[in-house]
Amino acid sequence: MLAMTDAAADAITALTAQEGKQETGGLRFEVQAQQDSGAQLALSVADQPEAGDQVLGTEGGARVFLEPQAAQFLDDKVLDVQQDESGQLNFAVMPQPAPGAPPV
């Protein structure tokens, strides 16, 4: 199952609040194109999950909606937020650490 860092959860909460969708909305992942090396994902702020979406939530209220193909692709990943050189926040998907591995 996709894991979420606290920073990613905070960013999702802020994003859905900014869009006026904090009550039922969330960040939706959808596969746009599938390649041998992975998948190209589309992100959007959605009012609610679509039929068949896997819904992940945190105690803080951040919600992520995963279209079925995206849920399969992201099953062993961690969603994080990283800041680029210009100060812009970007969502990043990384492999989950192996059990017992030290945190990165």
Side-chain angles (χ1 to χ4, degrees):
M1 181 182 306
L2 177 70
M4 211 180 322
T5 65
D6 291 342
D10 291 345
I12 292 167
T13 301
L15 192 58
T16 53
Q18 178 181 335
E19 297 280 330
K21 301 176 182 178
Q22 63 269 30
E23 294 301 316
T24 61
L27 188 67
R28 187 168 193 270
F29 284 82
E30 183 176 3
V31 172
Q32 274 194 321
Q34 189 105 24
Q35 297 115 8
D36 291 339
S37 59
Q40 183 177 355
L41 297 170
L43 291 177
S44 61
V45 176
D47 291 330
Q48 59 191 22
E50 292 186 16
D53 281 358
Q54 185 179 95
V55 179
L56 307 175
T58 66
E59 288 182 20
R63 292 168 32 120
V64 174
F65 310 139
L66 301 173
E67 172 262 343
Q69 276 187 297
Q72 186 177 5
F73 176 73
L74 296 170
D75 187 47
D76 60 347
K77 306 287 190 289
V78 176
L79 179 64
D80 195 9
V81 172
Q82 297 175 343
Q83 195 168 11
D84 65 18
E85 308 80 44
S86 64
Q88 183 76 24
L89 290 179
N90 297 296
F91 287 100
V93 176
M94 301 170 295
Q96 286 187 15
V104 179

Coordinates of all heavy atoms in Angstrom, one line a residue:
M1 N 0.8 -1.2 0.0 CA 0.0 0.0 0.0 C 0.9 1.3 0.0 O 1.9 1.3 0.6 CB -0.9 0.0 1.2 CG -1.8 1.2 1.3 SD -2.9 1.3 2.7 CE -3.7 -0.2 2.7
L2 N 0.5 2.3 -0.7 CA 1.2 3.5 -0.8 C 1.3 4.1 0.6 O 0.3 4.2 1.3 CB 0.5 4.5 -1.7 CG 1.1 5.9 -1.8 CD1 2.4 5.9 -2.5 CD2 0.2 6.8 -2.5
A3 N 2.5 4.5 1.0 CA 2.8 5.2 2.3 C 2.9 6.7 2.0 O 3.2 7.1 0.9 CB 4.0 4.6 2.9
M4 N 2.7 7.5 3.0 CA 2.7 8.9 2.8 C 3.6 9.5 4.0 O 3.4 9.2 5.1 CB 1.3 9.5 3.0 CG 1.0 10.7 2.2 SD -0.8 11.2 2.4 CE -1.7 9.7 2.4
T5 N 4.5 10.4 3.6 CA 5.3 11.1 4.7 C 4.4 12.2 5.3 O 3.4 12.6 4.7 CB 6.5 11.8 4.1 OG1 6.2 12.8 3.2 CG2 7.4 10.7 3.4
D6 N 4.8 12.7 6.5 CA 4.0 13.7 7.1 C 4.0 15.0 6.3 O 3.0 15.7 6.2 CB 4.6 14.1 8.5 CG 4.3 12.9 9.5 OD1 3.4 12.1 9.3 OD2 5.0 12.9 10.5
A7 N 5.2 15.3 5.6 CA 5.3 16.4 4.7 C 4.3 16.4 3.6 O 3.6 17.3 3.2 CB 6.7 16.6 4.2
A8 N 4.2 15.2 3.0 CA 3.2 15.0 1.9 C 1.8 15.2 2.4 O 1.0 15.8 1.7 CB 3.4 13.6 1.2
A9 N 1.5 14.6 3.5 CA 0.1 14.7 4.1 C -0.2 16.2 4.3 O -1.3 16.7 4.0 CB 0.0 13.9 5.4
D10 N 0.8 16.9 4.9 CA 0.5 18.4 5.1 C 0.3 19.1 3.8 O -0.6 20.0 3.7 CB 1.7 19.0 5.9 CG 1.8 18.5 7.3 OD1 0.9 17.9 7.8 OD2 2.9 18.7 7.9
A11 N 1.1 18.8 2.8 CA 0.9 19.5 1.5 C -0.4 19.1 0.9 O -1.1 20.0 0.3 CB 2.1 19.0 0.6
I12 N -0.9 17.9 1.0 CA -2.2 17.5 0.4 C -3.3 18.3 1.2 O -4.2 18.8 0.5 CB -2.4 16.0 0.5 CG1 -1.4 15.3 -0.4 CG2 -3.8 15.6 0.2 CD1 -1.3 13.8 -0.2
T13 N -3.2 18.3 2.5 CA -4.2 19.0 3.3 C -4.3 20.5 2.9 O -5.3 21.1 2.7 CB -3.9 18.9 4.8 OG1 -3.9 17.5 5.1 CG2 -4.9 19.6 5.6
A14 N -3.1 21.1 2.7 CA -3.0 22.6 2.3 C -3.6 22.7 0.9 O -4.3 23.7 0.6 CB -1.6 23.1 2.4
L15 N -3.3 21.8 0.0 CA -3.7 21.9 -1.4 C -5.2 21.8 -1.5 O -5.9 22.6 -2.2 CB -3.0 20.8 -2.2 CG -3.1 20.9 -3.7 CD1 -2.6 22.2 -4.3 CD2 -2.4 19.8 -4.4
T16 N -5.8 20.8 -0.8 CA -7.3 20.6 -0.9 C -8.0 21.8 -0.2 O -9.0 22.2 -0.7 CB -7.7 19.3 -0.3 OG1 -7.2 19.1 1.1 CG2 -7.2 18.1 -1.1
A17 N -7.4 22.3 0.9 CA -8.0 23.5 1.5 C -8.0 24.7 0.6 O -8.9 25.5 0.5 CB -7.3 23.8 2.8
Q18 N -6.9 24.9 -0.1 CA -6.7 26.0 -1.1 C -7.7 25.9 -2.2 O -8.2 26.9 -2.7 CB -5.3 25.9 -1.6 CG -5.0 27.0 -2.7 CD -3.5 26.8 -3.2 OE1 -2.7 26.3 -2.5 NE2 -3.3 27.3 -4.4
E19 N -8.1 24.7 -2.6 CA -9.0 24.4 -3.7 C -10.5 24.4 -3.1 O -11.4 24.2 -3.9 CB -8.8 23.1 -4.4 CG -7.4 23.0 -5.1 CD -7.4 23.7 -6.4 OE1 -8.5 23.7 -7.1 OE2 -6.4 24.3 -6.8
G20 N -10.6 24.6 -1.8 CA -12.0 24.5 -1.2 C -12.6 23.1 -1.1 O -13.8 23.0 -1.1
K21 N -11.7 22.1 -1.1 CA -12.2 20.7 -1.2 C -11.8 19.9 0.0 O -11.6 18.7 0.0 CB -11.7 20.1 -2.5 CG -12.2 20.8 -3.7 CD -11.7 20.2 -5.0 CE -12.2 21.0 -6.2 NZ -11.7 20.6 -7.4
Q22 N -11.5 20.6 1.2 CA -10.9 19.9 2.3 C -11.9 18.9 2.9 O -11.5 17.9 3.6 CB -10.4 20.9 3.4 CG -11.4 21.8 4.0 CD -11.6 23.1 3.3 OE1 -11.4 23.2 2.1 NE2 -12.0 24.1 4.0
E23 N -13.2 19.0 2.8 CA -14.1 18.1 3.4 C -14.2 16.7 2.8 O -14.1 15.7 3.4 CB -15.6 18.7 3.4 CG -15.7 20.0 4.2 CD -15.4 19.8 5.7 OE1 -15.8 18.7 6.3 OE2 -14.7 20.6 6.3
T24 N -14.3 16.7 1.4 CA -14.4 15.4 0.7 C -13.3 15.2 -0.3 O -13.2 14.1 -0.8 CB -15.8 15.3 0.0 OG1 -15.8 16.4 -1.0 CG2 -16.9 15.4 1.0
G25 N -12.5 16.2 -0.6 CA -11.6 16.1 -1.7 C -10.3 15.5 -1.3 O -10.0 15.2 -0.1
G26 N -9.5 15.2 -2.3 CA -8.1 14.7 -2.1 C -7.3 14.8 -3.4 O -7.7 15.3 -4.4
L27 N -6.1 14.3 -3.3 CA -5.2 14.2 -4.4 C -5.4 12.9 -5.1 O -5.3 11.8 -4.5 CB -3.7 14.3 -3.9 CG -2.7 14.5 -4.9 CD1 -2.8 15.9 -5.6 CD2 -1.3 14.4 -4.3
R28 N -5.7 13.0 -6.4 CA -6.0 11.7 -7.2 C -4.8 11.4 -8.1 O -4.4 12.3 -8.9 CB -7.3 11.9 -8.0 CG -7.7 10.6 -8.7 CD -9.1 10.7 -9.2 NE -9.6 9.4 -9.6 CZ -9.4 8.8 -10.8 NH1 -8.8 9.5 -11.8 NH2 -9.8 7.6 -11.1
F29 N -4.4 10.2 -8.1 CA -3.4 9.6 -9.0 C -4.1 8.8 -10.0 O -4.9 7.9 -9.7 CB -2.4 8.7 -8.2 CG -1.4 9.5 -7.4 CD1 -1.8 9.9 -6.1 CD2 -0.1 9.7 -7.8 CE1 -0.9 10.6 -5.3 CE2 0.8 10.4 -7.1 CZ 0.4 10.9 -5.8
E30 N -3.7 9.0 -11.3 CA -4.2 8.2 -12.4 C -3.1 7.9 -13.4 O -2.2 8.7 -13.6 CB -5.3 9.0 -13.1 CG -6.0 8.4 -14.2 CD -7.1 9.2 -14.8 OE1 -7.3 10.4 -14.4 OE2 -7.8 8.8 -15.7
V31 N -3.0 6.7 -13.9 CA -2.0 6.3 -14.8 C -2.4 6.9 -16.2 O -3.5 6.6 -16.7 CB -1.8 4.7 -14.9 CG1 -0.9 4.4 -16.1 CG2 -1.3 4.2 -13.6
Q32 N -1.5 7.7 -16.8 CA -1.7 8.2 -18.1 C -1.1 7.3 -19.2 O -1.7 7.2 -20.2 CB -1.0 9.6 -18.2 CG -1.9 10.7 -17.7 CD -1.4 12.1 -18.2 OE1 -0.2 12.3 -18.2 NE2 -2.3 13.0 -18.5
A33 N 0.1 6.8 -18.9 CA 0.8 5.9 -19.9 C 1.6 4.9 -19.1 O 2.2 5.2 -18.1 CB 1.6 6.7 -20.8
Q34 N 1.6 3.7 -19.6 CA 2.3 2.6 -18.9 C 3.5 2.3 -19.8 O 3.3 2.1 -21.0 CB 1.4 1.4 -18.8 CG 2.0 0.3 -17.9 CD 1.4 0.2 -16.5 OE1 0.3 0.7 -16.3 NE2 2.2 -0.3 -15.6
Q35 N 4.7 2.2 -19.2 CA 5.9 1.8 -20.0 C 6.5 0.7 -19.3 O 6.2 0.3 -18.2 CB 6.9 3.0 -20.1 CG 6.4 4.2 -20.8 CD 6.2 5.4 -19.8 OE1 6.7 5.4 -18.7 NE2 5.6 6.5 -20.3
D36 N 7.5 0.0 -20.0 CA 8.2 -1.1 -19.4 C 8.9 -0.7 -18.1 O 8.9 -1.5 -17.1 CB 9.2 -1.7 -20.3 CG 8.6 -2.4 -21.5 OD1 7.4 -2.8 -21.4 OD2 9.2 -2.5 -22.5
S37 N 9.4 0.5 -18.0 CA 10.2 1.0 -16.9 C 9.3 1.6 -15.8 O 9.8 1.9 -14.7 CB 11.2 2.0 -17.3 OG 10.6 3.1 -17.9
G38 N 8.0 1.7 -16.0 CA 7.2 2.3 -15.0 C 5.9 2.9 -15.6 O 5.5 2.4 -16.7
A39 N 5.4 3.9 -15.0 CA 4.2 4.5 -15.5 C 4.3 6.0 -15.4 O 4.9 6.5 -14.5 CB 3.0 4.0 -14.6
Q40 N 3.6 6.7 -16.3 CA 3.5 8.1 -16.2 C 2.1 8.4 -15.5 O 1.1 8.0 -15.9 CB 3.5 8.7 -17.6 CG 3.4 10.2 -17.6 CD 3.5 10.8 -19.0 OE1 3.7 10.1 -20.0 NE2 3.3 12.1 -19.1
L41 N 2.3 9.2 -14.4 CA 1.1 9.4 -13.5 C 0.6 10.9 -13.7 O 1.4 11.8 -13.9 CB 1.4 9.2 -12.1 CG 1.9 7.8 -11.7 CD1 2.4 7.8 -10.2 CD2 0.7 6.8 -11.8
A42 N -0.7 11.0 -13.7 CA -1.3 12.3 -13.7 C -1.9 12.6 -12.2 O -2.5 11.7 -11.6 CB -2.5 12.4 -14.7
L43 N -1.6 13.8 -11.7 CA -2.1 14.2 -10.4 C -3.1 15.3 -10.6 O -3.0 16.2 -11.4 CB -1.0 14.8 -9.6 CG 0.1 13.9 -9.1 CD1 1.2 14.7 -8.4 CD2 -0.4 12.8 -8.2
S44 N -4.2 15.2 -9.8 CA -5.2 16.3 -9.8 C -5.8 16.3 -8.4 O -5.8 15.4 -7.7 CB -6.3 16.0 -10.9 OG -6.9 14.8 -10.6
V45 N -6.4 17.5 -8.1 CA -7.2 17.6 -6.9 C -8.6 17.3 -7.3 O -9.2 17.9 -8.2 CB -7.1 19.1 -6.3 CG1 -8.0 19.2 -5.1 CG2 -5.6 19.4 -5.9
A46 N -9.2 16.3 -6.6 CA -10.5 15.8 -7.0 C -11.5 16.1 -5.8 O -11.1 16.1 -4.7 CB -10.5 14.3 -7.3
D47 N -12.8 16.4 -6.2 CA -13.8 16.6 -5.2 C -14.1 15.4 -4.4 O -14.4 15.5 -3.2 CB -15.1 17.0 -5.9 CG -15.1 18.3 -6.6 OD1 -14.3 19.2 -6.1 OD2 -15.8 18.5 -7.6
Q48 N -14.0 14.2 -5.0 CA -14.2 12.9 -4.3 C -13.6 11.8 -5.1 O -13.3 12.0 -6.3 CB -15.7 12.7 -4.1 CG -16.5 12.7 -5.4 CD -18.0 12.8 -5.2 OE1 -18.5 13.2 -4.2 NE2 -18.8 12.3 -6.2
P49 N -13.5 10.6 -4.6 CA -13.0 9.5 -5.3 C -13.9 9.1 -6.4 O -15.2 9.3 -6.3 CB -12.8 8.4 -4.3 CG -13.7 8.8 -3.2 CD -13.8 10.2 -3.2
E50 N -13.4 8.5 -7.5 CA -14.2 8.0 -8.6 C -14.5 6.5 -8.2 O -13.8 5.9 -7.4 CB -13.5 8.1 -9.9 CG -13.4 9.5 -10.4 CD -12.9 9.7 -11.8 OE1 -12.9 8.7 -12.5 OE2 -12.5 10.8 -12.1
A51 N -15.5 5.9 -8.9 CA -15.8 4.5 -8.7 C -14.6 3.6 -8.9 O -13.9 3.8 -9.9 CB -17.0 4.1 -9.6
G52 N -14.3 2.7 -8.0 CA -13.1 1.8 -8.1 C -11.8 2.4 -7.5 O -10.9 1.6 -7.4
D53 N -11.8 3.7 -7.2 CA -10.6 4.2 -6.6 C -10.3 3.6 -5.2 O -11.2 3.4 -4.4 CB -10.7 5.8 -6.4 CG -10.5 6.5 -7.7 OD1 -10.2 5.9 -8.7 OD2 -10.6 7.8 -7.7
Q54 N -9.0 3.4 -4.9 CA -8.6 3.1 -3.5 C -8.4 4.4 -2.8 O -7.8 5.3 -3.3 CB -7.3 2.3 -3.6 CG -6.8 1.8 -2.3 CD -5.5 1.0 -2.4 OE1 -4.5 1.6 -2.3 NE2 -5.6 -0.3 -2.8
V55 N -9.0 4.5 -1.6 CA -8.9 5.8 -0.8 C -8.0 5.6 0.4 O -8.2 4.6 1.2 CB -10.3 6.2 -0.4 CG1 -10.2 7.5 0.5 CG2 -11.2 6.4 -1.6
L56 N -6.9 6.4 0.5 CA -6.0 6.4 1.6 C -6.2 7.7 2.4 O -6.4 8.8 1.8 CB -4.6 6.3 1.2 CG -4.2 5.2 0.2 CD1 -2.8 5.3 -0.2 CD2 -4.4 3.8 0.9
G57 N -6.2 7.6 3.7 CA -6.3 8.9 4.5 C -5.4 8.9 5.7 O -4.9 7.8 6.1
T58 N -5.2 10.1 6.2 CA -4.4 10.2 7.4 C -5.3 10.8 8.5 O -6.4 11.3 8.3 CB -3.2 11.1 7.2 OG1 -3.7 12.5 7.0 CG2 -2.4 10.7 6.0
E59 N -4.8 10.7 9.7 CA -5.5 11.3 10.9 C -5.7 12.8 10.7 O -6.7 13.3 11.2 CB -4.8 10.9 12.2 CG -4.9 9.5 12.6 CD -4.2 9.2 13.9 OE1 -4.0 10.1 14.7 OE2 -3.9 8.0 14.2
G60 N -4.8 13.4 10.0 CA -4.8 14.8 9.8 C -5.8 15.3 8.8 O -6.0 16.5 8.5
G61 N -6.4 14.3 8.1 CA -7.4 14.6 7.1 C -6.9 14.6 5.6 O -7.7 14.8 4.7
A62 N -5.6 14.3 5.4 CA -5.2 14.3 4.0 C -5.7 13.0 3.3 O -5.7 11.9 4.0 CB -3.6 14.2 3.9
R63 N -6.2 13.1 2.1 CA -6.8 12.0 1.4 C -6.2 11.9 0.0 O -5.9 12.8 -0.6 CB -8.3 12.1 1.3 CG -9.0 12.0 2.6 CD -10.5 12.4 2.6 NE -11.2 12.2 1.4 CZ -12.3 11.4 1.3 NH1 -12.7 10.8 2.4 NH2 -12.9 11.3 0.2
V64 N -5.9 10.6 -0.3 CA -5.3 10.3 -1.6 C -6.3 9.3 -2.3 O -6.7 8.3 -1.7 CB -3.9 9.7 -1.5 CG1 -3.4 9.2 -2.9 CG2 -3.0 10.7 -0.9
F65 N -6.6 9.5 -3.6 CA -7.5 8.6 -4.3 C -6.6 8.0 -5.4 O -5.9 8.7 -6.2 CB -8.6 9.4 -5.0 CG -9.4 10.3 -4.1 CD1 -9.8 11.5 -4.5 CD2 -9.7 9.9 -2.8 CE1 -10.5 12.4 -3.6 CE2 -10.4 10.7 -1.9 CZ -10.8 11.9 -2.4
L66 N -6.6 6.6 -5.5 CA -5.7 5.9 -6.4 C -6.6 5.2 -7.4 O -7.4 4.2 -7.0 CB -4.8 4.9 -5.7 CG -3.9 5.5 -4.6 CD1 -3.2 4.4 -3.9 CD2 -2.9 6.4 -5.3
E67 N -6.5 5.5 -8.7 CA -7.2 4.8 -9.7 C -6.6 3.4 -9.7 O -5.4 3.2 -9.3 CB -6.9 5.6 -11.0 CG -7.3 4.9 -12.3 CD -6.2 4.2 -13.0 OE1 -5.0 4.5 -12.7 OE2 -6.5 3.3 -13.8
P68 N -7.4 2.3 -10.0 CA -6.9 1.0 -9.8 C -5.5 0.7 -10.4 O -4.7 0.0 -9.7 CB -7.9 0.1 -10.5 CG -9.2 0.9 -10.4 CD -8.8 2.3 -10.5
Q69 N -5.2 1.1 -11.6 CA -3.8 0.9 -12.2 C -2.8 1.6 -11.3 O -1.7 1.1 -11.1 CB -3.7 1.3 -13.6 CG -4.2 0.3 -14.6 CD -4.0 0.8 -16.0 OE1 -4.5 1.8 -16.4 NE2 -3.1 0.0 -16.7
A70 N -3.1 2.8 -10.9 CA -2.2 3.6 -10.1 C -1.9 3.0 -8.8 O -0.8 2.9 -8.3 CB -2.7 5.1 -9.9
A71 N -3.0 2.4 -8.2 CA -2.9 1.7 -6.9 C -1.9 0.6 -7.0 O -1.1 0.3 -6.1 CB -4.2 1.3 -6.4
Q72 N -2.0 -0.2 -8.1 CA -1.1 -1.3 -8.3 C 0.3 -0.9 -8.5 O 1.3 -1.4 -7.9 CB -1.6 -2.1 -9.6 CG -0.8 -3.4 -9.8 CD -1.4 -4.1 -11.0 OE1 -2.3 -3.6 -11.7 NE2 -0.9 -5.3 -11.2
F73 N 0.5 0.2 -9.3 CA 1.9 0.7 -9.5 C 2.5 1.3 -8.3 O 3.7 1.1 -8.0 CB 1.8 1.8 -10.6 CG 3.2 2.4 -10.9 CD1 4.2 1.7 -11.5 CD2 3.4 3.7 -10.5 CE1 5.4 2.3 -11.8 CE2 4.7 4.3 -10.7 CZ 5.7 3.6 -11.3
L74 N 1.7 2.0 -7.4 CA 2.2 2.7 -6.2 C 2.2 1.8 -5.0 O 2.5 2.3 -3.9 CB 1.4 3.9 -6.0 CG 1.5 5.0 -7.1 CD1 0.5 6.1 -6.9 CD2 2.9 5.6 -7.2
D75 N 1.9 0.5 -5.1 CA 1.7 -0.3 -3.9 C 2.9 -0.4 -3.0 O 2.7 -0.4 -1.8 CB 1.3 -1.8 -4.4 CG 1.0 -2.7 -3.3 OD1 0.1 -2.2 -2.4 OD2 1.5 -3.8 -3.2
D76 N 4.1 -0.3 -3.5 CA 5.3 -0.4 -2.7 C 6.1 0.9 -2.7 O 7.3 0.9 -2.5 CB 6.2 -1.6 -3.2 CG 6.6 -1.4 -4.6 OD1 6.1 -0.5 -5.3 OD2 7.5 -2.1 -5.0
K77 N 5.4 2.0 -2.8 CA 6.0 3.3 -2.9 C 5.7 4.2 -1.7 O 4.8 3.9 -0.9 CB 5.6 4.0 -4.2 CG 5.8 3.2 -5.5 CD 7.3 3.1 -5.8 CE 7.5 2.5 -7.2 NZ 7.2 1.2 -7.4
V78 N 6.5 5.3 -1.6 CA 6.2 6.3 -0.5 C 6.0 7.6 -1.2 O 6.8 8.0 -2.1 CB 7.4 6.4 0.4 CG1 7.2 7.6 1.4 CG2 7.7 5.1 1.2
L79 N 5.0 8.3 -0.9 CA 4.7 9.7 -1.4 C 5.3 10.7 -0.5 O 5.1 10.7 0.7 CB 3.2 9.9 -1.5 CG 2.7 11.3 -2.1 CD1 3.2 11.5 -3.5 CD2 1.2 11.4 -2.0
D80 N 6.2 11.6 -1.1 CA 6.8 12.6 -0.3 C 6.7 13.9 -1.1 O 6.2 14.0 -2.2 CB 8.3 12.3 -0.1 CG 9.0 13.1 1.0 OD1 8.3 13.8 1.7 OD2 10.2 13.0 1.1
V81 N 7.2 15.0 -0.4 CA 7.2 16.3 -1.0 C 8.6 16.8 -1.0 O 9.3 16.7 0.1 CB 6.3 17.3 -0.3 CG1 6.5 18.7 -0.8 CG2 4.8 16.9 -0.5
Q82 N 9.1 17.4 -2.1 CA 10.5 17.9 -2.1 C 10.4 19.3 -2.7 O 9.5 19.6 -3.5 CB 11.4 17.0 -3.0 CG 11.5 15.6 -2.4 CD 12.3 14.7 -3.3 OE1 12.5 15.0 -4.5 NE2 12.7 13.6 -2.8
Q83 N 11.3 20.2 -2.2 CA 11.4 21.6 -2.7 C 12.5 21.7 -3.7 O 13.6 21.2 -3.5 CB 11.6 22.5 -1.4 CG 11.4 23.9 -1.7 CD 11.4 24.7 -0.4 OE1 11.7 24.2 0.6 NE2 10.9 25.9 -0.5
D84 N 12.1 22.3 -4.8 CA 13.2 22.6 -5.8 C 13.9 23.9 -5.6 O 13.7 24.5 -4.6 CB 12.6 22.5 -7.3 CG 11.6 23.6 -7.5 OD1 11.6 24.7 -6.8 OD2 10.8 23.5 -8.5
E85 N 14.9 24.2 -6.5 CA 15.7 25.4 -6.3 C 14.9 26.7 -6.2 O 15.4 27.6 -5.5 CB 16.7 25.5 -7.5 CG 17.5 24.3 -7.8 CD 16.7 23.3 -8.6 OE1 16.0 23.6 -9.6 OE2 16.8 22.1 -8.3
S86 N 13.8 26.7 -6.8 CA 13.0 28.0 -6.8 C 12.0 28.0 -5.6 O 11.2 29.0 -5.5 CB 12.2 28.2 -8.1 OG 11.3 27.1 -8.3
G87 N 12.1 27.0 -4.8 CA 11.2 27.0 -3.6 C 9.8 26.4 -3.9 O 9.0 26.3 -3.0
Q88 N 9.6 25.8 -5.1 CA 8.4 25.2 -5.5 C 8.3 23.8 -4.9 O 9.3 23.1 -4.9 CB 8.3 25.1 -7.0 CG 7.0 24.5 -7.5 CD 5.8 25.5 -7.5 OE1 6.0 26.7 -7.5 NE2 4.7 25.0 -7.5
L89 N 7.2 23.4 -4.3 CA 7.0 22.1 -3.8 C 6.5 21.1 -4.9 O 5.6 21.5 -5.6 CB 6.0 22.1 -2.6 CG 6.4 22.7 -1.3 CD1 5.3 22.7 -0.3 CD2 7.7 22.1 -0.8
N90 N 7.1 19.9 -4.9 CA 6.8 18.9 -5.9 C 6.6 17.6 -5.2 O 7.4 17.2 -4.3 CB 7.9 18.8 -6.9 CG 8.1 20.0 -7.7 OD1 7.2 20.5 -8.5 ND2 9.3 20.6 -7.6
F91 N 5.5 16.9 -5.6 CA 5.3 15.5 -5.0 C 6.3 14.6 -5.7 O 6.6 14.7 -6.9 CB 3.9 15.1 -5.3 CG 2.9 15.8 -4.4 CD1 2.1 16.8 -4.9 CD2 2.7 15.4 -3.1 CE1 1.2 17.5 -4.1 CE2 1.8 16.0 -2.3 CZ 1.0 17.1 -2.8
A92 N 6.9 13.7 -4.9 CA 7.8 12.7 -5.4 C 7.4 11.3 -4.9 O 6.9 11.2 -3.8 CB 9.2 13.0 -4.8
V93 N 7.6 10.3 -5.7 CA 7.2 8.9 -5.4 C 8.5 8.2 -5.4 O 9.3 8.2 -6.3 CB 6.3 8.3 -6.4 CG1 6.0 6.9 -6.2 CG2 5.0 9.1 -6.5
M94 N 8.8 7.5 -4.2 CA 10.0 6.8 -4.0 C 9.8 5.4 -3.6 O 8.7 5.1 -3.0 CB 10.9 7.5 -3.0 CG 11.2 8.9 -3.4 SD 12.0 9.9 -2.0 CE 10.7 9.9 -0.8
P95 N 10.7 4.4 -3.8 CA 10.5 3.1 -3.3 C 10.5 3.1 -1.7 O 11.2 3.9 -1.1 CB 11.8 2.3 -3.7 CG 12.4 3.2 -4.8 CD 11.9 4.6 -4.5
Q96 N 9.7 2.2 -1.2 CA 9.7 2.1 0.3 C 11.0 1.4 0.7 O 11.5 0.5 0.0 CB 8.5 1.2 0.8 CG 7.2 1.9 0.7 CD 6.0 1.1 1.3 OE1 6.2 0.1 2.0 NE2 4.8 1.5 1.0
P97 N 11.5 1.8 1.9 CA 12.7 1.1 2.3 C 12.4 -0.3 2.7 O 11.3 -0.7 3.1 CB 13.2 2.0 3.6 CG 11.9 2.8 3.9 CD 11.1 2.9 2.7
A98 N 13.4 -1.1 2.6 CA 13.3 -2.5 2.9 C 13.1 -2.7 4.4 O 13.6 -1.8 5.2 CB 14.5 -3.3 2.5
P99 N 12.3 -3.6 4.9 CA 12.2 -3.8 6.4 C 13.5 -3.9 7.1 O 14.4 -4.7 6.6 CB 11.3 -5.1 6.5 CG 10.7 -5.3 5.1 CD 11.6 -4.6 4.1
G100 N 13.7 -3.2 8.1 CA 14.9 -3.2 8.9 C 16.0 -2.3 8.4 O 17.0 -2.2 9.0
A101 N 15.8 -1.7 7.2 CA 16.8 -0.8 6.6 C 16.7 0.5 7.4 O 15.7 1.0 7.8 CB 16.5 -0.5 5.1
P102 N 17.9 1.2 7.5 CA 17.9 2.5 8.2 C 17.2 3.5 7.4 O 17.2 3.5 6.2 CB 19.4 2.8 8.4 CG 20.1 2.0 7.3 CD 19.2 0.8 7.1
P103 N 16.5 4.5 8.1 CA 15.8 5.5 7.3 C 16.8 6.4 6.5 O 17.9 6.6 6.9 CB 15.2 6.4 8.4 CG 15.6 5.9 9.7 CD 16.4 4.6 9.5
V104 N 16.3 6.8 5.4 CA 17.2 7.6 4.4 C 17.1 9.0 4.8 O 16.2 9.6 5.2 CB 16.7 7.4 3.0 CG1 17.5 8.3 2.0 CG2 16.6 6.0 2.6

